[in-house]
Amino acid sequence: MAAMTQWESFLPPIEQVDYYDEMAETQGESGSSPLEVAIIGGGMTGLALAVGLLKRDVNFTLYERADNFGELGVGIHFTPNAERAMAALDPRVLQSYVDIATHAEGGFLTFVDGFHEGKGADPLTSTEETMFQLHVGDGYKACRRCDFVDQLVKHIPPEKVRYQKWLQSIGAQEGRSILTFRDGSKAQADIVVGCDGIRSKVREAMFGSANSCPKAQYSHQLGFRGLVPMDKALAAVGPSKTSNALGHLGPGGFVLTIPLSGVNAMHVEAFVMDSQPWPEIKSESDTQRYVLPATRDEVVASFKDFGPTVQTYVSLLPEKLDKWAVFDMLDAPAPSFSKARMCLAGDAAHASTPNQGAGAGAGMEDALVLAEVLAAVANLPHLDEGAVIAALGVYSEMRHERCQWLVASSRRVAELFTWKDPQYGHNKDKIRCEIEERSHVLWDYDTDGMVKETIAKFKTELERM
């Protein structure tokens, strides 16, 4: 057997690690490590990473710019690969989702032709032609984002969180990162993880803020979303259409209708492809920059040529609602997810359109890789800057290609959903084949193998030092 390097004896043997079981035995017995991680941003990715680091006894502080954690009360779905990553992070992360999610009848996500349904038909009795169905893992389920965040927060000790900390800049001093916040306060950390969304200040610190720098840009897709009380939906379209998760497809747009039993409502998201630029709004508020006031009449006009079921659903939306711009990083991607002692995760790294239902799930995969490789760093005999930089480089290497594929694939899915490809049109067999292929590239990903490869690459990097 080859002799171990000075580092290797402190890392868990790859073949012996079961990432779905308790891992305390692999992380040492001396309590929390001296490594200090700063998580910037308390969205889903940041919170999931925090829970994963807690499980692995890695020191961290989570900095949130708001005075509390919160997400919009809109629907979220996690695909099978994401659920595996959540379970490996900490079973409580997955359970936080399962406990509040609504299962669609039959477990399918069904896509229908929302355009050619008979004009003037009664949606209570009419039928939209099924184009294809996706059976997602152990069954399609969804919940509200805000409910999932509320569950995750329960697992994080309050003393690990700092609220109203809006990151201003990141500097360096004596081998540590120095965080400066808008309130004038400062903090130090060995590693800074940017989970701070599409306008990431960590990404700006890594790559700059000039027009040529990596950034999220308007994808020329906008969305309207709202909740329709279940009793109104039932009275208007009937039980079969309100007990199933449906995607109503058509030219130029599509509508998702998802039952949410926890709030006794249908979650309705209507997406429109938009050829116009999004107006430049000078505001530090993401809500003011990316969300504009809209009316139900605007949504109705956008889907006036669709079938009666779609028209009925959008007519049930609140009279006043918002339309939000969908931004992604396809056109200006980050060349890497790490630089020096900083790295990016979730939307800060690879903001994606929601069409493949996988953006938040990719953040769960990010969090798992980071939790594992940071635990490996924390378990080393002493904190070494070279090991820190190597670990973050391995994280970027493991995540960058897959996430860039997802961003591009999600754009492509929008083309298929809106019948934009002239070679496909609304040919359901062609659309189904490509959607299934893309879905399985996403769903069948070996998350356990991802973790083992991460640790193996990190060991290799340590051996080179």
Side-chain angles (χ1 to χ4, degrees):
M1 178 183 293
M4 288 186 177
T5 69
Q6 62 172 322
W7 308 110
E8 193 169 2
S9 62
F10 294 91
L11 295 175
I14 298 170
E15 68 276 3
Q16 295 178 8
V17 177
D18 183 351
Y19 294 95
Y20 292 86
D21 293 333
E22 294 296 326
M23 295 183 59
E25 70 273 16
T26 70
Q27 300 303 326
E29 300 177 355
S30 58
S32 295
S33 74
L35 180 72
E36 178 63 35
V37 179
I39 303 173
I40 309 299
M44 290 183 289
T45 300
L47 291 170
L49 174 60
V51 177
L53 293 180
L54 275 172
K55 178 179 173 63
R56 292 158 179 81
D57 201 23
V58 177
N59 281 326
F60 71 90
T61 303
L62 196 161
Y63 298 93
E64 168 56 40
R65 72 183 188 184
D67 57 7
N68 57 63
F69 294 115
E71 286 274 357
L72 293 174
V74 297
I76 184 71
H77 159 69
F78 289 105
T79 49
N81 56 296
E83 291 191 4
R84 292 192 295 274
M86 293 156 78
L89 261 172
D90 187 317
R92 296 176 299 176
V93 176
L94 179 59
Q95 200 62 44
S96 294
Y97 171 56
V98 171
D99 285 347
I100 58 174
T102 299
H103 287 256
E105 189 172 286
F108 290 98
L109 177 58
T110 301
F111 292 89
V112 298
D113 181 340
F115 186 74
H116 292 108
E117 184 183 15
K119 306 302 179 184
D122 183 351
L124 281 168
T125 57
S126 63
T127 301
E128 296 170 293
E129 180 187 2
T130 297
M131 298 188 71
F132 58 95
Q133 290 183 314
L134 294 178
H135 191 277
V136 186
D138 64 351
Y140 182 88
K141 52 187 175 291
C143 69
R144 293 195 304 170
R145 288 172 179 261
C146 58
D147 295 334
F148 179 55
V149 165
D150 287 346
Q151 293 295 311
L152 288 178
V153 171
K154 295 177 181 178
H155 305 304
I156 301 174
E159 64 270 19
K160 306 298 288 185
V161 181
R162 303 290 183 270
Y163 294 104
Q164 295 183 314
K165 294 298 179 182
W166 192 310
L167 183 66
Q168 183 71 37
S169 64
I170 303 176
Q173 182 178 338
E174 297 180 353
R176 302 199 84 199
S177 294
I178 308 300
L179 312 176
T180 301
F181 300 95
R182 290 192 179 185
D183 63 4
S185 63
K186 295 180 182 291
Q188 296 186 26
D190 300 300
I191 293 172
V192 180
V193 183
C195 301
D196 48 344
I198 64 174
R199 284 206 298 154
S200 170
K201 292 295 290 185
V202 179
R203 187 177 65 233
E204 183 179 310
M206 290 168 62
F207 301 113
S209 59
N211 287 337
S212 59
C213 293
K215 63 171 113 16
Q217 298 180 333
Y218 186 43
S219 67
H220 293 282
Q221 179 177 346
L222 57 85
F224 307 85
R225 54 191 170 195
L227 295 177
V228 175
M230 187 61 75
D231 57 347
K232 289 186 177 181
L234 272 169
V237 301
S240 66
K241 294 175 181 175
T242 55
S243 59
N244 291 283
L246 299 173
H248 312 259
L249 310 185
F254 60 97
V255 176
L256 301 178
T257 55
I258 313 293
L260 297 176
S261 61
V263 291
N264 198 30
M266 292 296 294
H267 172 66
V268 178
E269 287 188 289
F271 292 98
V272 177
M273 308 315 292
D274 177 29
S275 62
Q276 300 301 312
W278 188 256
E280 180 66 28
I281 299 171
K282 300 295 184 182
S283 173
E284 292 185 343
S285 166
D286 287 349
T287 299
Q288 293 179 11
R289 287 172 66 97
Y290 305 124
V291 182
L292 295 177
T295 65
R296 180 176 58 213
D297 289 344
E298 188 175 346
V299 192
V300 169
S302 297
F303 291 92
K304 63 181 177 58
D305 295 325
F306 275 61
T309 296
V310 168
Q311 291 186 27
T312 298
Y313 262 123
V314 298
S315 73
L316 294 174
L317 287 168
E319 182 179 350
K320 293 184 178 180
L321 37 76
D322 295 323
K323 63 179 176 183
W324 87 98
V326 178
F327 277 60
D328 71 9
M329 294 186 69
L330 180 66
D331 300 319
S336 170
F337 293 163
S338 71
K339 185 175 183 181
R341 290 174 171 266
M342 299 174 285
C343 69
L344 304 170
D347 284 348
H350 46 76
S352 173
T353 58
N355 308 312
Q356 206 160 352
M364 298 298 111
E365 292 181 355
D366 293 346
L368 175 58
V369 173
L370 275 172
E372 291 290 351
V373 79
L374 295 184
V377 173
N379 204 48
L380 295 175
H382 61 270
L383 190 59
D384 180 271
E385 184 172 10
V388 167
I389 294 172
L392 297 184
V394 168
Y395 159 71
S396 178
E397 180 183 352
M398 289 299 302
R399 298 299 300 145
H400 193 270
E401 182 178 354
R402 175 167 167 81
C403 291
Q404 297 309 110
W405 173 86
L406 171 61
V407 174
S409 182
S410 190
R411 281 270 197 113
R412 171 60 177 166
V413 167
E415 293 180 350
L416 299 174
F417 281 178
T418 58
W419 304 348
K420 188 176 181 180
D421 187 332
Q423 301 298 316
Y424 284 28
H426 62 276
N427 185 303
K428 62 182 182 182
D429 291 328
K430 290 183 177 181
I431 294 173
R432 174 186 56 77
C433 285
E434 184 167 341
I435 292 292
E436 286 183 347
E437 180 180 353
R438 291 180 177 278
S439 296
H440 283 286
V441 169
L442 182 69
W443 301 347
D444 298 344
Y445 188 59
D446 182 2
T447 51
D448 189 31
M450 172 185 71
V451 170
K452 292 179 180 179
E453 185 177 355
T454 297
I455 299 301
K457 285 180 178 291
F458 183 46
K459 284 186 175 182
T460 299
E461 291 300 315
L462 292 179
E463 289 167 357
R464 293 172 177 168
M465 292 173 58

